[in-house]
Amino acid sequence: MSNLQAVELSAAEANAAAMSSCRMLKNTAGEYERERCSRLFNALEGLGVMTFVLVVLWPFAYLCGWMPGNETVHTIANILLFTGAFYLLFVSPFIHRDTLDSWGLGDPRRLWRMLTTGAINTRLSLSCVLLFIFAALNYMNYTQWPEVVHFLNLDKTLAADFRSFFWGRVAVVTTGSLVSLFILTYCIRYDNFFSAFKTAMVIALPLLCIAFLAAFVHRGISAFTSLNLQAWMLGVFGYVFWGFIQQLLFSAYFGTRFRKGFAPSTAAANVVAPQKRWRVRLWFALGAAITAPLLTAIGVRASYGADSNLELTHLLWMALFLFPLGGIYGHFYCKDRKRMLVTTLCAACFGMIHIASYALVAVTWGLGIVLVYVFMEAKNRNLVALGFIHGLLGSSFGQLFSKGKSGTLEVDYAVGPWHVEHPTFGVLIFPMLCIALFIGLIYWSTRNIREIETI
């Protein structure tokens, strides 16, 4: 199916849209989706929410709270961010009448139909898969209970005390079972899992090879001396869960709002002519190979000064790695310019939330482009599959480029205003530029977005 070709509407979809007072609206990728609100509302909401988050984090929480040491501001900022998250997850989907499918989530009603209808072999296979996942999740919850307590930021005494007596063990198992049941029914989407997982592997494995090769080029064999297979596998599992949560907020929420907010382009210039594509790919490849190493050198120099041990060979290797990646971006830009621009904008939300760890901003922005692009199509809209990409790469980067081990190319996982070690007004420059960019996009949207292609 072409990314500019609408999918055929089923009678059930049309009836569901009619009963919920919704239209079927063409998203950026050219597929129809149910939507209650206008394109402009979708775009302004996504841009407005991201602007709100950046304003709360930096001009408010950092400038008014972290720099002067005001704990009250810190508390208010957390309340505002929690309120924003509540809106994203529970209010916005209701306003827009989003479906669980549109967010890449599981649907308990469809799962029940899959278990009670159809071929007996299919039903038995699915039942075995569900039992296996349920048992595996409970096993991990019980055996890794200290890690669960640490992840949830609970009292550390719970890690030891709760499994030392009978009712404590019952509480751990019961909690794990309830969470596992929720994951099985609402978090995992089964109808497109294999197609989405196949896409995830096509994305994750090459990027994983690049990460390992980059670590070897930077530090040689010493980059792998501290690599622990068990810790890496446990990290992958943990990051799948954490990646699911992050992608629920970014690929699901922002991806849904932006792909509904921006219609597919009908301009002839949106698709680059075949005879010109090699030139566009080359320009993007050269742009990535030149710009990223230059910005890296400037950033490392500003952070480490004379103590920087970043060598010219490191920058040349970075340029070599980024040259084909820039060319790949240019390839998809040639196929559908507007889709790539909308994807890049949406991925920027994922990247900018990681300020002020700028290595992580760059990595997550690049990864976000890939995830948002594939998430636009219904066949790939599966959050667990995207979470697996996040988990595989997140755990690997955590070990290969962790802080304190990888020198000037370290990836600091501490993000947000409360992790700025040396607060200065200069830290605000980049966040304020980002806020200005989103405000400018809000103004542009009000002037240019129109309702088209709805039924």
Side-chain angles (χ1 to χ4, degrees):
M1 178 177 59
S2 170
N3 61 350
L4 288 177
Q5 182 181 9
V7 296
E8 184 179 353
L9 297 178
S10 67
E13 288 174 320
N15 290 336
M19 292 176 64
S20 58
S21 302
C22 297
R23 292 113 5 114
M24 298 303 292
L25 177 147
K26 250 187 185 181
N27 64 26
T28 311
E31 296 182 349
Y32 279 106
E33 290 189 69
R34 189 176 80 178
E35 176 56 43
R36 183 185 185 188
C37 303
S38 67
R39 288 196 187 281
L40 181 60
F41 188 92
N42 276 273
L44 292 182
E45 182 184 320
L47 294 169
V49 166
M50 192 60 206
T51 305
F52 168 81
V53 171
L54 290 174
V55 169
V56 170
L57 285 175
W58 295 102
F60 183 67
Y62 178 76
L63 182 61
C64 303
W66 182 242
M67 287 187 71
N70 191 325
E71 287 296 327
T72 302
V73 172
H74 184 176
T75 302
I76 295 174
N78 282 330
I79 293 173
L80 291 173
L81 293 174
F82 177 81
T83 304
F86 183 85
Y87 175 83
L88 300 190
L89 296 176
F90 301 104
V91 180
S92 180
F94 176 78
I95 291 175
H96 293 272
R97 295 295 190 267
D98 293 331
T99 64
L100 291 169
D101 287 356
S102 70
W103 279 52
L105 294 169
D107 187 337
R109 294 169 298 180
R110 179 171 53 223
L111 178 59
W112 177 251
R113 289 195 297 269
M114 293 172 69
L115 288 171
T116 55
T117 61
I120 185 65
N121 291 339
T122 302
R123 293 156 60 188
L124 287 175
S125 299
L126 180 58
S127 299
C128 291
V129 169
L130 293 173
L131 288 173
F132 174 79
I133 296 175
F134 183 80
L137 290 173
N138 276 279
Y139 174 80
M140 292 295 294
N141 174 73
Y142 188 82
T143 58
Q144 303 299 325
W145 178 247
E147 296 295 331
V148 175
V149 169
H150 175 72
F151 177 80
L152 297 176
N153 200 26
L154 300 175
D155 189 343
K156 292 183 179 180
T157 57
L158 295 176
D161 295 349
F162 258 58
R163 291 190 303 178
S164 62
F165 58 96
F166 175 75
W167 289 113
R169 292 192 291 272
V170 170
V172 171
V173 172
T174 301
T175 302
S177 297
L178 291 175
V179 173
S180 299
L181 187 61
F182 179 78
I183 292 174
L184 283 175
T185 53
Y186 279 97
C187 297
I188 303 177
R189 183 178 174 184
Y190 299 92
D191 62 313
N192 70 342
F193 182 81
F194 289 108
S195 64
F197 190 76
K198 179 182 177 181
T199 302
M201 289 295 94
V202 171
I203 295 169
L205 293 180
L207 293 178
L208 185 64
C209 292
I210 291 175
F212 274 84
L213 183 58
F216 176 77
V217 169
H218 180 47
R219 290 191 289 147
I221 197 65
S222 62
F224 310 104
T225 55
S226 60
L227 187 64
N228 184 291
L229 182 60
Q230 182 177 358
W232 177 76
M233 293 179 65
L234 181 62
V236 170
F237 182 84
Y239 269 108
V240 167
F241 180 72
W242 180 234
F244 174 89
I245 295 175
Q246 290 201 36
Q247 295 311 316
L248 179 63
L249 296 173
F250 292 99
S251 290
Y253 172 74
F254 285 105
T256 301
R257 297 285 72 84
F258 283 126
R259 73 172 181 269
K260 288 183 177 181
F262 296 94
S265 176
T266 57
N270 184 61
V271 179
V272 178
Q275 64 271 20
K276 297 181 180 179
R277 292 184 181 183
W278 68 269
R279 189 182 307 156
V280 175
R281 297 186 192 112
L282 180 60
W283 276 115
F284 274 105
L286 289 173
I290 295 172
T291 305
L294 181 61
L295 292 176
T296 300
I298 295 173
V300 169
R301 184 69 179 178
S303 301
Y304 295 92
D307 296 330
S308 170
N309 63 350
L310 186 64
E311 300 176 1
L312 179 61
T313 54
H314 294 151
L315 298 177
L316 292 176
W317 275 108
M318 180 181 293
L320 184 62
F321 282 127
L322 292 174
F323 185 87
L325 296 180
I328 293 173
Y329 182 98
H331 170 76
F332 287 97
Y333 178 85
C334 290
K335 293 178 64 177
D336 191 337
R337 181 181 301 178
K338 187 171 185 178
R339 179 174 174 178
M340 280 305 296
L341 292 176
V342 173
T343 295
T344 305
L345 170 62
C346 187
C349 299
F350 186 33
M352 290 175 186
I353 204 67
H354 294 87
I355 301 171
S357 175
Y358 290 104
L360 201 55
V361 169
V363 171
T364 53
W365 195 339
L367 178 61
I369 290 173
V370 178
L371 299 183
V372 173
Y373 187 92
V374 301
F375 199 78
M376 281 191 180
E377 297 182 18
K379 66 179 182 180
N380 297 321
R381 215 170 288 147
N382 191 304
L383 278 183
V384 171
L386 296 191
F388 187 82
I389 302 175
H390 199 121
L392 193 63
L393 297 176
S395 181
S396 301
F397 268 88
Q399 294 214 24
L400 297 174
F401 297 96
S402 59
K403 189 174 182 180
K405 295 181 181 179
S406 54
T408 54
L409 293 186
E410 66 187 18
V411 176
D412 189 353
Y413 279 64
V415 302
W418 300 285
H419 292 96
V420 177
E421 297 179 357
H422 306 289
T424 64
F425 284 102
V427 175
L428 281 171
I429 294 175
F430 185 74
M432 294 304 294
L433 290 174
C434 295
I435 292 171
L437 170 65
F438 278 99
I439 292 175
L441 288 169
I442 289 173
Y443 175 76
W444 179 91
S445 298
T446 59
R447 306 275 298 193
N448 292 276
I449 293 181
R450 299 290 182 267
E451 285 297 304
I452 58 172
E453 300 269 8
T454 61
I455 60 173

